[in-house]
Amino acid sequence: MSGSYDDSVGLEASSDSFWEVGNYKRTVKRIDDGHRLCNDLMNCLHERARIEKAYALQLTEWAKRWKQLVEKGPQYGTVEKAWHSLMTEAEKVSELHLEVKNQLMNEDFEKIKNWQKEAFHKQMMGGFKETKEADDGFRKAQKPWAKKLKEVEGSKKAYHTSCKEEKLATYREGTSKADSSLNPEQLKKLQDKVEKSKQDVQKAREKYEKALQDLESCTPQYLENMGQVFEQCQQFEEKRLCFFREVLLDVQKHLDLSNVGRYRAIYQDLEYAIKVADAPEDLTWFKNNHGPGMSMNWPQFEEWSADLNRTLSRREKKKAADGVTLTGINQTGDQASVHNKHSSVSSYDKSQSYPTEWSDDESNNPFTSNDANGDTNPFDEEVSSLEVRVRALYDYEGQEHDELSFKAGEELTKIEDEDEQGWCKGRLGNGQVGLYPANYVEPIQ
């Protein structure tokens, strides 16, 4: 028996049936369980909303990081655009999952919260009004029947006690007949006891049967009253079950992105972006920008001009009018953002105009050696007293024997100022002297 009743103290339920005294408590408890289940469902949706938000943020972070990596990486052309479309997909899906999170919290969560507030009314002394009303209804319906049941249990106990006493008196009378020490008067008393016990048994039986008849006559009304209160509880629970079903369908619609037109469009766009990637087009672009398709100022005979203030070095002769890619540039970290990945990188102005003649025999040519055999270092002349410590901004790998190679962050000494073509002369820490692009370093403060 799951509950007790004031008029049924001492009674024991003979089964687990709803009709047993106090077993209606399970139905009353279901009302309290309904309020708790509302809280559980809200907590469930709240956790799912947190998961949706975390997933959306992770997608956004992933897309941002990989977009930067792809932009700074060596991939190019239409395949790069196809790769970028993966990050675009992640950003759009992230937006949809944030919308799912907002729908779960702003619509579904709030809907349950408001319904719970309207369906369950708290009392000042604790508990809910609906629970108390159901409990009082069951108590009132069960009270008359429980009272009759208590009388039945009492009369049954009295009847069984009388039967026990009759059996004991009959046993004593039977054994006394064989006992010669008992006088006739004592035997008479035992016989009278047996007779009285039989009369008591008959009276107790009649009382017991009468109590059962009274209980049976009360039972139909008991069934009707209990059934009415139970049906009211069923109707209350039916509202909760139907409401939960409605909310869960709303949640399903919010979670099912396959029915969202924007979601399908994301993957249609992604498929299209990947399929339009054209390998031949990318190869042609690379050929024209970094391969044989590039223009070239091929060496031609040039007359010497006395109007030149200085002659060009071999370094300057190598430069094309439209700029030449410096293949020795290695970018590190965020330094890659200083130029366009798809453009030729030059340490000098691509539109720079050059004198029409150059000579290796001029005395002011920094690449010219005075040694007829070419054994003397062309940089062995006296170093200028104007020396400035500088730090490399980017990696640079010298393309000629008279150029320096260094890594980003390495310190060196500038021993000559920048010339008209944007080159400086400097000295590394190991003593090597040579040329380097002026805009690849910065003065050390």
Side-chain angles (χ1 to χ4, degrees):
M1 188 166 60
S2 60
S4 60
Y5 189 79
D6 296 341
D7 294 335
S8 61
V9 177
L11 298 180
E12 294 183 0
S14 58
S15 68
D16 195 37
S17 171
F18 163 77
W19 302 105
E20 294 288 347
V21 175
N23 278 0
Y24 68 83
K25 294 289 186 181
R26 293 174 300 188
T27 304
V28 175
K29 181 178 179 296
R30 188 176 62 172
I31 299 176
D32 293 333
D33 290 341
H35 184 274
R36 181 177 62 83
L37 287 171
C38 288
N39 290 333
D40 290 344
L41 184 54
M42 286 190 288
N43 290 334
C44 176
L45 297 185
H46 187 243
E47 288 185 13
R48 179 58 185 265
R50 289 205 306 267
I51 293 174
E52 294 290 335
K53 180 180 179 180
Y55 179 55
L57 294 178
Q58 288 176 352
L59 278 179
T60 301
E61 190 65 27
W62 176 85
K64 179 180 179 181
R65 183 168 66 90
W66 274 100
K67 182 181 290 186
Q68 294 176 349
L69 291 174
V70 173
E71 289 175 350
K72 296 178 181 179
Q75 185 58 60
Y76 56 90
T78 59
V79 173
E80 180 188 9
K81 294 179 180 179
W83 195 344
H84 267 290
S85 65
L86 290 179
M87 278 64 83
T88 302
E89 174 268 343
E91 291 172 343
K92 293 181 178 179
V93 172
S94 173
E95 294 176 359
L96 289 178
H97 281 280
L98 282 178
E99 290 182 9
V100 170
K101 173 258 179 184
N102 292 332
Q103 289 171 338
L104 290 176
M105 293 304 299
N106 298 336
E107 297 181 24
D108 302 330
F109 184 93
E110 290 298 323
K111 186 175 183 179
I112 301 170
K113 183 178 179 181
N114 293 333
W115 185 88
Q116 182 191 45
K117 186 177 180 181
E118 294 175 359
F120 299 90
H121 301 85
K122 292 185 177 181
Q123 297 185 117
M124 294 182 61
M125 301 302 293
F128 299 104
K129 175 183 177 183
E130 291 71 23
T131 303
K132 186 177 185 305
E133 289 177 351
D135 188 74
D136 291 344
F138 279 120
R139 282 177 177 271
K140 183 178 180 181
Q142 198 171 65
K143 185 175 181 179
W145 190 85
K147 184 177 180 180
K148 296 294 183 181
L149 178 63
K150 188 175 182 181
E151 293 175 358
V152 168
E153 293 294 331
S155 60
K156 180 178 73 171
K157 184 177 180 181
Y159 169 68
H160 290 172
T161 301
S162 299
C163 292
K164 182 179 179 182
E165 292 177 354
E166 179 197 11
K167 184 177 180 180
L168 180 61
T170 302
Y171 173 77
R172 289 176 178 175
E173 180 192 15
T175 56
S176 65
K177 294 179 180 179
D179 188 357
S180 58
S181 63
L182 295 177
N183 55 43
E185 184 180 352
Q186 291 176 326
L187 292 174
K188 177 64 174 166
K189 288 182 178 180
L190 291 175
Q191 291 174 355
D192 293 343
K193 181 67 174 176
V194 171
E195 186 65 25
K196 186 177 183 304
S197 298
K198 289 181 179 181
Q199 294 176 1
D200 291 341
V201 168
Q202 185 61 32
K203 292 179 180 180
R205 182 182 181 88
E206 292 175 356
K207 188 177 181 179
Y208 180 28
E209 291 175 347
K210 178 66 168 58
L212 280 174
Q213 290 176 359
D214 293 342
L215 181 65
E216 290 176 0
S217 64
C218 183
T219 297
Q221 187 65 42
Y222 168 65
L223 296 176
E224 180 180 354
N225 294 341
M226 290 288 287
Q228 289 177 355
V229 180
F230 181 79
E231 186 59 31
Q232 293 174 0
C233 294
Q234 286 288 83
Q235 293 175 2
F236 184 83
E237 178 67 5
E238 182 182 14
K239 293 180 181 178
R240 185 191 69 82
L241 294 175
C242 292
F243 173 74
F244 268 42
R245 180 180 182 274
E246 178 184 344
V247 169
L248 292 175
L249 283 175
D250 291 341
V251 172
Q252 178 269 330
K253 292 178 182 178
H254 295 153
L255 295 179
D256 187 6
L257 295 179
S258 64
N259 290 327
V260 179
R262 291 165 52 203
Y263 188 75
R264 293 194 299 271
I266 289 174
Y267 292 98
Q268 292 172 354
D269 294 344
L270 175 62
E271 180 182 9
Y272 175 79
I274 295 174
K275 286 184 176 180
V276 298
D278 190 340
E281 179 182 340
D282 291 352
L283 294 174
T284 300
W285 179 89
F286 191 87
K287 175 182 178 181
N288 293 334
N289 288 272
H290 300 289
M294 297 178 68
S295 61
M296 175 65 181
N297 286 343
W298 298 103
Q300 297 179 0
F301 181 80
E302 300 175 359
E303 291 291 346
W304 176 83
S305 174
D307 295 334
L308 293 177
N309 293 328
R310 60 184 296 276
T311 57
L312 296 179
S313 66
R314 288 171 307 192
R315 173 76 268 167
E316 293 159 348
K317 175 185 176 183
K318 184 171 180 277
K319 299 173 184 176
D322 59 349
V324 178
T325 300
L326 296 181
T327 58
I329 300 173
N330 295 322
Q331 298 170 332
T332 59
D334 294 334
Q335 299 162 356
S337 62
V338 299
H339 73 290
N340 188 318
K341 184 167 77 71
H342 287 162
S343 65
S344 298
V345 180
S346 175
S347 61
Y348 47 88
D349 187 354
K350 294 179 183 179
S351 61
Q352 177 71 40
S353 61
Y354 305 106
T356 59
E357 185 174 273
W358 63 277
S359 171
D360 280 339
D361 297 331
E362 293 297 327
S363 60
N364 62 346
N365 190 336
F367 296 92
T368 303
S369 171
N370 293 326
D371 193 299
N373 296 327
D375 296 331
T376 304
N377 190 325
F379 301 102
D380 284 345
E381 62 268 30
E382 182 179 357
V383 177
S384 170
S385 60
L386 179 61
E387 296 185 353
V388 178
R389 294 291 290 172
V390 295
R391 179 183 294 106
L393 294 172
Y394 322 108
D395 294 353
Y396 181 74
E397 182 179 351
Q399 303 299 301
E400 300 289 345
H401 71 279
D402 52 12
E403 296 179 13
L404 299 178
S405 297
F406 46 76
K407 299 290 185 182
E410 185 176 347
E411 296 183 2
L412 58 153
T413 302
K414 181 178 75 173
I415 58 179
E416 284 189 7
D417 289 334
E418 179 181 355
D419 61 18
E420 296 177 356
Q421 308 304 324
W423 292 83
C424 288
K425 182 187 290 186
R427 181 174 64 249
L428 297 177
N430 59 8
Q432 180 183 355
V433 177
L435 298 176
Y436 63 86
N439 59 353
Y440 271 58
V441 300
E442 65 177 357
I444 299 177
Q445 300 298 329

